Amino acid sequence: MIFRGKVHKFGADIDTDAIIPARYLNTSDPRELARHCMEDADPAFPEKVVEGDIIVAGKNFGCGSSREHAPLAIQAAGVSCVVATSFARIFYRNAINIGLPILECEAAVEDARPGDELEIDLNGGNIRNLTLGKAYQATPFPGFMQEIMARGGLINYIKERMKSGA
Amino acid sequence: MGMTITEKILAYHAGKERVEPGELINCRLDVVLANDITAPVAITEFEKLGLNEVFDREKVVLVPDHFTPNKDIKSAEQARYVREFARKYGIINYFEIGRMGIEHCLLPQEGLVLPGDLVIGADSHTCTYGALGAFATGVGSTDMAAGMATGEAWFKVPETIKFVYYGKMPRWLSGKDLILYTIGDIGVDGARYMAMEFTGEAIRELSMDNRFTMANMAIEAGGKNGIIEPDEITLAYVKQRAKRPYRLFQSDPDARYAEVREYNVSRLEPQVAFPHLPENTRPVSEAQGITIDQVVIGSCTNGRLEDLQIAAGIMKGKKVHPEIRVIVIPGTQEIYLEALRQGLVEVFIEAGAAVSTPTCGPCLGGHMGILAKGEKALATTNRNFVGRMGHPESEVYLASPAVAAASAVLGRIAAPWEVIK
């Protein structure tokens, strides 16, 4: 899978309340959640994000609550991939389980500026900053998680396992 | 090489002799939990699997506690979705309004989580149950759905950081202060992906309610789980509640730790976490004088009986400062009733505080005490992120029930010894 999109840059410790504030959690409709995505970190984000854009953020992205509404909101907002220095563990797990592409790469995060164009090859974990003309290698996922992602998320993965009687 | 308690519980549930940090394993689950916000997403995912039943009707626990009693029509629809699922699949441990509590106060109280258990919950504060010597961790709704279907979940075995607390606890120091101080020391990602094992003479002296508070906030340092080895205090709590057998695990003397951190509690002051991260902790003496608009005493962190006893002990015969609001939220119906019987509710109401039915409510900015623009709250809750309790330009300070009660009386952040000489 290859993604190409413009960078929206955020700092460290972006928590799930910033990604999708709890005041909007009286629904789990992804389109409604997308309307408020990243609102408390950047109120203009839901307006300016376009299909394929990439969120770039510092360490511990997605810390806080276990709400799967956070990766769902990002996915429904049209974001193709999140590149961060590191992810909080529940967010990391949730993103893989729902099929939201994520990558960890500190160097790419440090260099990227808002509006830069990135090209990402998810399978190889290759990140290219087309604006800066630089290439980076992200930390590869363990094979087990790649399998889940290749099947489009955990539910499909389990469906297949149940079918095969494993 | 020995194993930590976390590694032993994971190995046992994976059917293995031993596990190593970093290893990916599949584990049997003893409890799978969700609430009114996370269950709806989990139910929708579960139903995609086309199954007629959950893996075990007794091991799935559903607690509508976040936006309940239903705060608006949409929340009512979500709560109904969970209720109908519980009826359709014959979920035994579904807890309705009037018989419920905040999930992480409720499950231990009901004996649904026991030492040695492996628990996943679609709520990040599921790590609370580590106080019982269980492995418990928060997951998202899809993991919850998979858990309901298969009774299993995959885990990466975490490395463990050992936190040793030694010395004698000063009068007003609580588990909340120890965990806030620890988060202040290592930061909000200081234990990311790791197990946090709390031990030492000060922990051995701590009550269960204080231990729950500590394990509860492991997630605030990025931890996968917080855990305390079970002892006599654990057993005294569990014995009267358990309805099934349980297993006691201990760390081996030669267990391997990624790091060991030691804290002398003897001279620690009550802690206050300043906006907007739980790691922004300072001793209360550096926070005294900050004016506040609201005090919240409650939540899965500090809504237990001992928390209410401490708060009432400070507020007894006093009045809430005229310029602030105080909201007290007992964690469960049982705690509420006991607080009533002990006269604590009377103390709060006579002081001029509001006492609410159990709900997560204001902790996550849901309802029952939302902050307006520019307002400041001091809360015994667990998070003080931007907008956590309301308007994005409001602020939350985190502290213990003792600091909260003193602040309620004085109308500013205050130390308990300012009220009780």
Side-chain angles (χ1 to χ4, degrees), chain B residues 77-129:
Chain B
E77 299 289 350
Q78 293 201 128
R80 185 176 67 183
Y81 191 48
V82 179
R83 184 180 303 114
E84 286 176 353
F85 176 84
R87 286 188 187 148
K88 180 175 167 190
Y89 289 91
I91 305 298
I92 291 158
N93 291 305
Y94 166 80
F95 292 89
E96 193 54 89
I97 301 307
R99 283 89 79 189
M100 53 75 79
I102 297 171
E103 50 194 326
H104 309 308
C105 299
L106 185 71
L107 269 67
Q109 172 194 296
E110 297 298 313
L112 292 172
V113 178
L114 296 170
D117 278 0
L118 198 158
V119 181
I120 61 167
D123 188 279
S124 61
H125 293 108
T126 300
C127 53
T128 308
Y129 315 131

Tab-separated table of all heavy atoms in Angstrom, chain B residues 77-129:
chain	number	residue	atom	x	y	z
B	77	GLU	N	-29.712	6.075	23.677
B	77	GLU	CA	-29.714	5.082	22.582
B	77	GLU	C	-28.542	4.113	22.755
B	77	GLU	O	-28.677	2.913	22.547
B	77	GLU	CB	-29.595	5.774	21.216
B	77	GLU	CG	-30.723	6.743	20.890
B	77	GLU	CD	-32.051	6.058	20.598
B	77	GLU	OE1	-32.079	4.823	20.460
B	77	GLU	OE2	-33.072	6.777	20.536
B	78	GLN	N	-27.377	4.665	23.122
B	78	GLN	CA	-26.199	3.797	23.311
B	78	GLN	C	-26.430	2.837	24.474
B	78	GLN	O	-26.111	1.652	24.387
B	78	GLN	CB	-24.941	4.637	23.570
B	78	GLN	CG	-24.513	5.463	22.382
B	78	GLN	CD	-23.042	5.880	22.423
B	78	GLN	OE1	-22.311	5.676	21.477
B	78	GLN	NE2	-22.597	6.457	23.517
B	79	ALA	N	-26.984	3.360	25.567
B	79	ALA	CA	-27.241	2.515	26.745
B	79	ALA	C	-28.248	1.421	26.392
B	79	ALA	O	-28.109	0.270	26.822
B	79	ALA	CB	-27.751	3.366	27.906
B	80	ARG	N	-29.246	1.774	25.584
B	80	ARG	CA	-30.250	0.778	25.187
B	80	ARG	C	-29.631	-0.327	24.331
B	80	ARG	O	-29.956	-1.504	24.482
B	80	ARG	CB	-31.402	1.445	24.429
B	80	ARG	CG	-32.513	0.434	24.118
B	80	ARG	CD	-33.712	1.052	23.469
B	80	ARG	NE	-33.384	1.541	22.140
B	80	ARG	CZ	-34.247	2.195	21.366
B	80	ARG	NH1	-35.456	2.443	21.799
B	80	ARG	NH2	-33.877	2.610	20.173
B	81	TYR	N	-28.732	0.077	23.455
B	81	TYR	CA	-28.046	-0.878	22.576
B	81	TYR	C	-27.303	-1.925	23.422
B	81	TYR	O	-27.351	-3.125	23.142
B	81	TYR	CB	-27.066	-0.082	21.703
B	81	TYR	CG	-26.443	-0.833	20.545
B	81	TYR	CD1	-27.205	-1.598	19.665
B	81	TYR	CD2	-25.069	-0.734	20.306
B	81	TYR	CE1	-26.617	-2.247	18.595
B	81	TYR	CE2	-24.467	-1.377	19.234
B	81	TYR	CZ	-25.247	-2.136	18.380
B	81	TYR	OH	-24.658	-2.777	17.322
B	82	VAL	N	-26.652	-1.449	24.485
B	82	VAL	CA	-25.907	-2.347	25.374
B	82	VAL	C	-26.878	-3.244	26.150
B	82	VAL	O	-26.671	-4.451	26.276
B	82	VAL	CB	-25.021	-1.538	26.353
B	82	VAL	CG1	-24.259	-2.470	27.289
B	82	VAL	CG2	-24.048	-0.642	25.590
B	83	ARG	N	-27.954	-2.632	26.656
B	83	ARG	CA	-28.947	-3.381	27.436
B	83	ARG	C	-29.574	-4.493	26.593
B	83	ARG	O	-29.712	-5.636	27.040
B	83	ARG	CB	-30.028	-2.405	27.920
B	83	ARG	CG	-31.084	-3.012	28.831
B	83	ARG	CD	-32.124	-1.969	29.266
B	83	ARG	NE	-31.495	-0.834	29.920
B	83	ARG	CZ	-31.479	0.418	29.435
B	83	ARG	NH1	-32.064	0.689	28.275
B	83	ARG	NH2	-30.885	1.387	30.092
B	84	GLU	N	-29.926	-4.147	25.347
B	84	GLU	CA	-30.569	-5.145	24.477
B	84	GLU	C	-29.613	-6.277	24.125
B	84	GLU	O	-30.006	-7.436	24.051
B	84	GLU	CB	-31.106	-4.456	23.204
B	84	GLU	CG	-32.351	-3.645	23.522
B	84	GLU	CD	-32.896	-2.854	22.345
B	84	GLU	OE1	-32.222	-2.815	21.274
B	84	GLU	OE2	-33.977	-2.272	22.482
B	85	PHE	N	-28.354	-5.923	23.947
B	85	PHE	CA	-27.336	-6.958	23.683
B	85	PHE	C	-27.233	-7.898	24.881
B	85	PHE	O	-27.204	-9.127	24.737
B	85	PHE	CB	-25.982	-6.293	23.407
B	85	PHE	CG	-24.853	-7.268	23.219
B	85	PHE	CD1	-24.614	-7.857	21.983
B	85	PHE	CD2	-24.013	-7.600	24.283
B	85	PHE	CE1	-23.568	-8.765	21.810
B	85	PHE	CE2	-22.965	-8.504	24.119
B	85	PHE	CZ	-22.747	-9.083	22.876
B	86	ALA	N	-27.203	-7.305	26.080
B	86	ALA	CA	-27.080	-8.099	27.308
B	86	ALA	C	-28.252	-9.076	27.432
B	86	ALA	O	-28.078	-10.239	27.805
B	86	ALA	CB	-27.016	-7.191	28.528
B	87	ARG	N	-29.458	-8.609	27.094
B	87	ARG	CA	-30.641	-9.479	27.187
B	87	ARG	C	-30.587	-10.573	26.130
B	87	ARG	O	-30.830	-11.746	26.413
B	87	ARG	CB	-31.913	-8.642	27.018
B	87	ARG	CG	-32.193	-7.831	28.265
B	87	ARG	CD	-33.549	-7.140	28.225
B	87	ARG	NE	-33.650	-6.257	29.384
B	87	ARG	CZ	-34.326	-5.116	29.391
B	87	ARG	NH1	-34.982	-4.722	28.312
B	87	ARG	NH2	-34.359	-4.372	30.479
B	88	LYS	N	-30.255	-10.172	24.898
B	88	LYS	CA	-30.253	-11.117	23.782
B	88	LYS	C	-29.264	-12.263	24.020
B	88	LYS	O	-29.559	-13.415	23.715
B	88	LYS	CB	-29.891	-10.354	22.505
B	88	LYS	CG	-29.836	-11.207	21.247
B	88	LYS	CD	-29.593	-10.329	20.006
B	88	LYS	CE	-29.234	-11.182	18.808
B	88	LYS	NZ	-28.762	-10.361	17.687
B	89	TYR	N	-28.102	-11.937	24.584
B	89	TYR	CA	-27.066	-12.962	24.748
B	89	TYR	C	-27.003	-13.513	26.173
B	89	TYR	O	-26.101	-14.272	26.498
B	89	TYR	CB	-25.695	-12.394	24.320
B	89	TYR	CG	-25.612	-12.198	22.817
B	89	TYR	CD1	-25.980	-10.995	22.241
B	89	TYR	CD2	-25.189	-13.229	21.977
B	89	TYR	CE1	-25.932	-10.808	20.864
B	89	TYR	CE2	-25.139	-13.057	20.601
B	89	TYR	CZ	-25.509	-11.839	20.054
B	89	TYR	OH	-25.473	-11.665	18.697
B	90	GLY	N	-27.968	-13.094	27.007
B	90	GLY	CA	-28.034	-13.638	28.367
B	90	GLY	C	-26.812	-13.315	29.213
B	90	GLY	O	-26.348	-14.146	29.995
B	91	ILE	N	-26.297	-12.080	29.048
B	91	ILE	CA	-25.132	-11.659	29.833
B	91	ILE	C	-25.544	-11.530	31.300
B	91	ILE	O	-26.443	-10.747	31.633
B	91	ILE	CB	-24.579	-10.293	29.324
B	91	ILE	CG1	-24.268	-10.349	27.831
B	91	ILE	CG2	-23.369	-9.846	30.144
B	91	ILE	CD1	-23.214	-11.320	27.410
B	92	ILE	N	-24.913	-12.305	32.157
B	92	ILE	CA	-25.329	-12.334	33.562
B	92	ILE	C	-24.856	-11.080	34.303
B	92	ILE	O	-25.595	-10.503	35.094
B	92	ILE	CB	-24.792	-13.625	34.228
B	92	ILE	CG1	-25.556	-14.809	33.623
B	92	ILE	CG2	-24.944	-13.585	35.745
B	92	ILE	CD1	-24.868	-16.124	33.724
B	93	ASN	N	-23.636	-10.657	34.001
B	93	ASN	CA	-23.087	-9.509	34.714
B	93	ASN	C	-23.276	-8.201	33.938
B	93	ASN	O	-22.333	-7.560	33.500
B	93	ASN	CB	-21.615	-9.757	35.045
B	93	ASN	CG	-21.460	-10.845	36.072
B	93	ASN	OD1	-22.036	-10.773	37.152
B	93	ASN	ND2	-20.726	-11.893	35.718
B	94	TYR	N	-24.537	-7.850	33.764
B	94	TYR	CA	-24.920	-6.542	33.235
B	94	TYR	C	-25.484	-5.764	34.419
B	94	TYR	O	-26.303	-6.299	35.174
B	94	TYR	CB	-25.973	-6.689	32.129
B	94	TYR	CG	-26.644	-5.385	31.788
B	94	TYR	CD1	-26.024	-4.461	30.952
B	94	TYR	CD2	-27.885	-5.055	32.336
B	94	TYR	CE1	-26.624	-3.245	30.668
B	94	TYR	CE2	-28.489	-3.850	32.060
B	94	TYR	CZ	-27.850	-2.943	31.218
B	94	TYR	OH	-28.450	-1.738	30.952
B	95	PHE	N	-25.031	-4.552	34.610
B	95	PHE	CA	-25.416	-3.805	35.812
B	95	PHE	C	-26.223	-2.569	35.449
B	95	PHE	O	-25.700	-1.630	34.842
B	95	PHE	CB	-24.175	-3.417	36.617
B	95	PHE	CG	-23.492	-4.615	37.222
B	95	PHE	CD1	-22.509	-5.300	36.520
B	95	PHE	CD2	-23.862	-5.088	38.474
B	95	PHE	CE1	-21.890	-6.419	37.064
B	95	PHE	CE2	-23.258	-6.198	39.022
B	95	PHE	CZ	-22.261	-6.875	38.321
B	96	GLU	N	-27.479	-2.575	35.840
B	96	GLU	CA	-28.399	-1.494	35.502
B	96	GLU	C	-28.296	-0.346	36.514
B	96	GLU	O	-27.857	-0.558	37.654
B	96	GLU	CB	-29.824	-2.068	35.452
B	96	GLU	CG	-30.853	-1.160	34.817
B	96	GLU	CD	-30.446	-0.689	33.421
B	96	GLU	OE1	-30.755	-1.382	32.435
B	96	GLU	OE2	-29.817	0.390	33.329
B	97	ILE	N	-28.710	0.832	36.085
B	97	ILE	CA	-28.775	1.995	36.974
B	97	ILE	C	-29.564	1.624	38.240
B	97	ILE	O	-30.599	0.979	38.151
B	97	ILE	CB	-29.503	3.169	36.257
B	97	ILE	CG1	-28.763	3.538	34.969
B	97	ILE	CG2	-29.652	4.387	37.166
B	97	ILE	CD1	-27.302	3.804	35.154
B	98	GLY	N	-29.031	2.034	39.373
B	98	GLY	CA	-29.682	1.690	40.636
B	98	GLY	C	-29.070	0.459	41.280
B	98	GLY	O	-29.212	0.243	42.483
B	99	ARG	N	-28.383	-0.367	40.442
B	99	ARG	CA	-27.706	-1.565	40.978
B	99	ARG	C	-26.254	-1.571	40.552
B	99	ARG	O	-25.586	-2.585	40.618
B	99	ARG	CB	-28.374	-2.842	40.437
B	99	ARG	CG	-29.693	-3.194	41.098
B	99	ARG	CD	-30.900	-2.554	40.437
B	99	ARG	NE	-31.328	-3.251	39.224
B	99	ARG	CZ	-32.242	-2.777	38.379
B	99	ARG	NH1	-32.805	-1.596	38.608
B	99	ARG	NH2	-32.571	-3.455	37.312
B	100	MET	N	-25.774	-0.449	40.052
B	100	MET	CA	-24.460	-0.459	39.399
B	100	MET	C	-23.420	0.331	40.191
B	100	MET	O	-23.556	0.585	41.383
B	100	MET	CB	-24.576	0.077	37.962
B	100	MET	CG	-25.248	1.433	37.820
B	100	MET	SD	-24.268	2.859	38.298
B	100	MET	CE	-23.249	3.040	36.842
B	101	GLY	N	-22.381	0.689	39.501
B	101	GLY	CA	-21.331	1.502	40.070
B	101	GLY	C	-20.348	1.815	38.965
B	101	GLY	O	-20.484	1.307	37.852
B	102	ILE	N	-19.375	2.653	39.263
B	102	ILE	CA	-18.291	2.909	38.307
B	102	ILE	C	-17.548	1.587	38.153
B	102	ILE	O	-17.159	0.970	39.151
B	102	ILE	CB	-17.377	4.026	38.827
B	102	ILE	CG1	-18.169	5.338	38.950
B	102	ILE	CG2	-16.176	4.198	37.912
B	102	ILE	CD1	-17.419	6.453	39.669
B	103	GLU	N	-17.371	1.133	36.928
B	103	GLU	CA	-16.931	-0.240	36.654
B	103	GLU	C	-15.752	-0.692	37.518
B	103	GLU	O	-15.757	-1.799	38.050
B	103	GLU	CB	-16.616	-0.403	35.158
B	103	GLU	CG	-15.701	0.690	34.614
B	103	GLU	CD	-15.642	0.741	33.073
B	103	GLU	OE1	-15.722	-0.313	32.429
B	103	GLU	OE2	-15.507	1.851	32.524
B	104	HIS	N	-14.731	0.155	37.662
B	104	HIS	CA	-13.528	-0.315	38.355
B	104	HIS	C	-13.650	-0.281	39.874
B	104	HIS	O	-12.807	-0.794	40.583
B	104	HIS	CB	-12.307	0.463	37.874
B	104	HIS	CG	-12.208	0.472	36.384
B	104	HIS	ND1	-12.262	-0.697	35.651
B	104	HIS	CD2	-12.120	1.475	35.483
B	104	HIS	CE1	-12.205	-0.391	34.365
B	104	HIS	NE2	-12.124	0.910	34.229
B	105	CYS	N	-14.721	0.352	40.377
B	105	CYS	CA	-15.051	0.206	41.798
B	105	CYS	C	-15.932	-1.028	41.967
B	105	CYS	O	-15.859	-1.733	42.965
B	105	CYS	CB	-15.802	1.436	42.312
B	105	CYS	SG	-14.875	2.970	42.198
B	106	LEU	N	-16.773	-1.279	40.970
B	106	LEU	CA	-17.805	-2.312	41.053
B	106	LEU	C	-17.265	-3.739	40.940
B	106	LEU	O	-17.647	-4.619	41.718
B	106	LEU	CB	-18.838	-2.064	39.948
B	106	LEU	CG	-20.055	-2.978	39.941
B	106	LEU	CD1	-20.972	-2.671	41.118
B	106	LEU	CD2	-20.831	-2.832	38.626
B	107	LEU	N	-16.406	-3.993	39.961
B	107	LEU	CA	-15.994	-5.382	39.702
B	107	LEU	C	-15.264	-6.028	40.879
B	107	LEU	O	-15.597	-7.155	41.264
B	107	LEU	CB	-15.173	-5.490	38.409
B	107	LEU	CG	-16.011	-5.761	37.151
B	107	LEU	CD1	-16.914	-4.593	36.810
B	107	LEU	CD2	-15.138	-6.119	35.967
B	108	PRO	N	-14.295	-5.344	41.497
B	108	PRO	CA	-13.664	-5.948	42.671
B	108	PRO	C	-14.666	-6.139	43.813
B	108	PRO	O	-14.668	-7.170	44.478
B	108	PRO	CB	-12.575	-4.941	43.061
B	108	PRO	CG	-12.308	-4.167	41.808
B	108	PRO	CD	-13.639	-4.086	41.112
B	109	GLN	N	-15.522	-5.142	44.023
B	109	GLN	CA	-16.525	-5.214	45.082
B	109	GLN	C	-17.419	-6.439	44.922
B	109	GLN	O	-17.762	-7.106	45.893
B	109	GLN	CB	-17.373	-3.933	45.038
B	109	GLN	CG	-18.584	-3.941	45.949
B	109	GLN	CD	-19.544	-2.820	45.599
B	109	GLN	OE1	-19.210	-1.643	45.712
B	109	GLN	NE2	-20.744	-3.170	45.155
B	110	GLU	N	-17.793	-6.747	43.689
B	110	GLU	CA	-18.682	-7.871	43.420
B	110	GLU	C	-17.936	-9.203	43.341
B	110	GLU	O	-18.537	-10.241	43.042
B	110	GLU	CB	-19.437	-7.631	42.109
B	110	GLU	CG	-20.362	-6.413	42.146
B	110	GLU	CD	-21.461	-6.547	43.199
B	110	GLU	OE1	-22.094	-7.608	43.246
B	110	GLU	OE2	-21.649	-5.603	43.995
B	111	GLY	N	-16.634	-9.159	43.532
B	111	GLY	CA	-15.849	-10.391	43.454
B	111	GLY	C	-15.728	-10.930	42.037
B	111	GLY	O	-15.442	-12.103	41.827
B	112	LEU	N	-15.937	-10.073	41.053
B	112	LEU	CA	-15.875	-10.526	39.656
B	112	LEU	C	-14.440	-10.610	39.148
B	112	LEU	O	-14.163	-11.288	38.173
B	112	LEU	CB	-16.702	-9.591	38.760
B	112	LEU	CG	-18.202	-9.652	39.000
B	112	LEU	CD1	-18.925	-8.570	38.209
B	112	LEU	CD2	-18.743	-11.029	38.634
B	113	VAL	N	-13.532	-9.881	39.793
B	113	VAL	CA	-12.108	-9.969	39.459
B	113	VAL	C	-11.379	-10.448	40.710
B	113	VAL	O	-11.620	-9.944	41.808
B	113	VAL	CB	-11.554	-8.604	39.025
B	113	VAL	CG1	-10.072	-8.720	38.730
B	113	VAL	CG2	-12.295	-8.079	37.811
B	114	LEU	N	-10.509	-11.438	40.517
B	114	LEU	CA	-9.826	-12.047	41.661
B	114	LEU	C	-8.334	-12.162	41.386
B	114	LEU	O	-7.896	-12.056	40.228
B	114	LEU	CB	-10.431	-13.441	41.912
B	114	LEU	CG	-11.922	-13.446	42.314
B	114	LEU	CD1	-12.467	-14.869	42.305
B	114	LEU	CD2	-12.122	-12.819	43.687
B	115	PRO	N	-7.545	-12.399	42.430
B	115	PRO	CA	-6.094	-12.525	42.233
B	115	PRO	C	-5.753	-13.597	41.193
B	115	PRO	O	-6.411	-14.641	41.147
B	115	PRO	CB	-5.590	-12.939	43.623
B	115	PRO	CG	-6.602	-12.387	44.577
B	115	PRO	CD	-7.922	-12.493	43.857
B	116	GLY	N	-4.757	-13.319	40.385
B	116	GLY	CA	-4.303	-14.274	39.380
B	116	GLY	C	-5.085	-14.249	38.087
B	116	GLY	O	-4.721	-14.906	37.113
B	117	ASP	N	-6.181	-13.473	38.051
B	117	ASP	CA	-7.007	-13.381	36.836
B	117	ASP	C	-6.271	-12.672	35.711
B	117	ASP	O	-5.348	-11.888	35.952
B	117	ASP	CB	-8.285	-12.578	37.131
B	117	ASP	CG	-9.365	-13.422	37.796
B	117	ASP	OD1	-9.123	-14.619	38.025
B	117	ASP	OD2	-10.449	-12.862	38.081
B	118	LEU	N	-6.750	-12.924	34.499
B	118	LEU	CA	-6.316	-12.134	33.348
B	118	LEU	C	-7.560	-11.447	32.792
B	118	LEU	O	-8.530	-12.106	32.427
B	118	LEU	CB	-5.650	-13.021	32.292
B	118	LEU	CG	-4.791	-12.230	31.297
B	118	LEU	CD1	-3.758	-13.136	30.656
B	118	LEU	CD2	-5.621	-11.566	30.234
B	119	VAL	N	-7.524	-10.127	32.804
B	119	VAL	CA	-8.708	-9.329	32.483
B	119	VAL	C	-8.395	-8.345	31.368
B	119	VAL	O	-7.364	-7.663	31.420
B	119	VAL	CB	-9.163	-8.517	33.727
B	119	VAL	CG1	-10.409	-7.702	33.420
B	119	VAL	CG2	-9.401	-9.429	34.917
B	120	ILE	N	-9.279	-8.267	30.364
B	120	ILE	CA	-9.208	-7.127	29.456
B	120	ILE	C	-10.500	-6.334	29.590
B	120	ILE	O	-11.568	-6.899	29.819
B	120	ILE	CB	-8.979	-7.505	27.966
B	120	ILE	CG1	-10.104	-8.370	27.406
B	120	ILE	CG2	-7.622	-8.172	27.772
B	120	ILE	CD1	-10.081	-8.498	25.879
B	121	GLY	N	-10.379	-5.043	29.442
B	121	GLY	CA	-11.549	-4.181	29.517
B	121	GLY	C	-11.425	-3.071	28.499
B	121	GLY	O	-10.344	-2.512	28.322
B	122	ALA	N	-12.540	-2.792	27.825
B	122	ALA	CA	-12.539	-1.673	26.881
B	122	ALA	C	-12.723	-0.393	27.685
B	122	ALA	O	-13.738	0.293	27.607
B	122	ALA	CB	-13.623	-1.852	25.837
B	123	ASP	N	-11.738	-0.136	28.504
B	123	ASP	CA	-11.633	1.092	29.292
B	123	ASP	C	-10.205	1.120	29.807
B	123	ASP	O	-9.722	0.130	30.360
B	123	ASP	CB	-12.611	1.109	30.464
B	123	ASP	CG	-12.600	2.471	31.143
B	123	ASP	OD1	-11.692	2.731	31.954
B	123	ASP	OD2	-13.472	3.298	30.828
B	124	SER	N	-9.549	2.249	29.625
B	124	SER	CA	-8.109	2.279	29.911
B	124	SER	C	-7.793	2.056	31.388
B	124	SER	O	-6.702	1.603	31.721
B	124	SER	CB	-7.506	3.593	29.429
B	124	SER	OG	-8.107	4.671	30.099
B	125	HIS	N	-8.742	2.351	32.268
B	125	HIS	CA	-8.460	2.177	33.699
B	125	HIS	C	-8.732	0.761	34.212
B	125	HIS	O	-8.738	0.518	35.418
B	125	HIS	CB	-9.205	3.231	34.521
B	125	HIS	CG	-8.668	4.606	34.255
B	125	HIS	ND1	-9.348	5.548	33.540
B	125	HIS	CD2	-7.461	5.149	34.557
B	125	HIS	CE1	-8.590	6.640	33.425
B	125	HIS	NE2	-7.441	6.424	34.026
B	126	THR	N	-8.904	-0.165	33.285
B	126	THR	CA	-9.015	-1.578	33.638
B	126	THR	C	-7.794	-2.040	34.443
B	126	THR	O	-7.876	-2.989	35.219
B	126	THR	CB	-9.184	-2.409	32.343
B	126	THR	OG1	-10.364	-1.966	31.679
B	126	THR	CG2	-9.297	-3.895	32.613
B	127	CYS	N	-6.685	-1.351	34.279
B	127	CYS	CA	-5.458	-1.690	35.023
B	127	CYS	C	-5.653	-1.620	36.546
B	127	CYS	O	-4.811	-2.118	37.293
B	127	CYS	CB	-4.300	-0.801	34.575
B	127	CYS	SG	-4.641	0.964	34.634
B	128	THR	N	-6.761	-1.031	36.996
B	128	THR	CA	-7.074	-0.944	38.431
B	128	THR	C	-6.956	-2.295	39.148
B	128	THR	O	-6.496	-2.370	40.291
B	128	THR	CB	-8.530	-0.422	38.614
B	128	THR	OG1	-8.680	0.781	37.860
B	128	THR	CG2	-8.856	-0.167	40.070
B	129	TYR	N	-7.394	-3.374	38.481
B	129	TYR	CA	-7.489	-4.690	39.138
B	129	TYR	C	-6.136	-5.304	39.454
B	129	TYR	O	-6.067	-6.317	40.161
B	129	TYR	CB	-8.325	-5.658	38.288
B	129	TYR	CG	-9.597	-5.022	37.764
B	129	TYR	CD1	-9.956	-5.106	36.426
B	129	TYR	CD2	-10.425	-4.288	38.611
B	129	TYR	CE1	-11.109	-4.495	35.938
B	129	TYR	CE2	-11.562	-3.677	38.139
B	129	TYR	CZ	-11.906	-3.782	36.807
B	129	TYR	OH	-13.036	-3.162	36.339
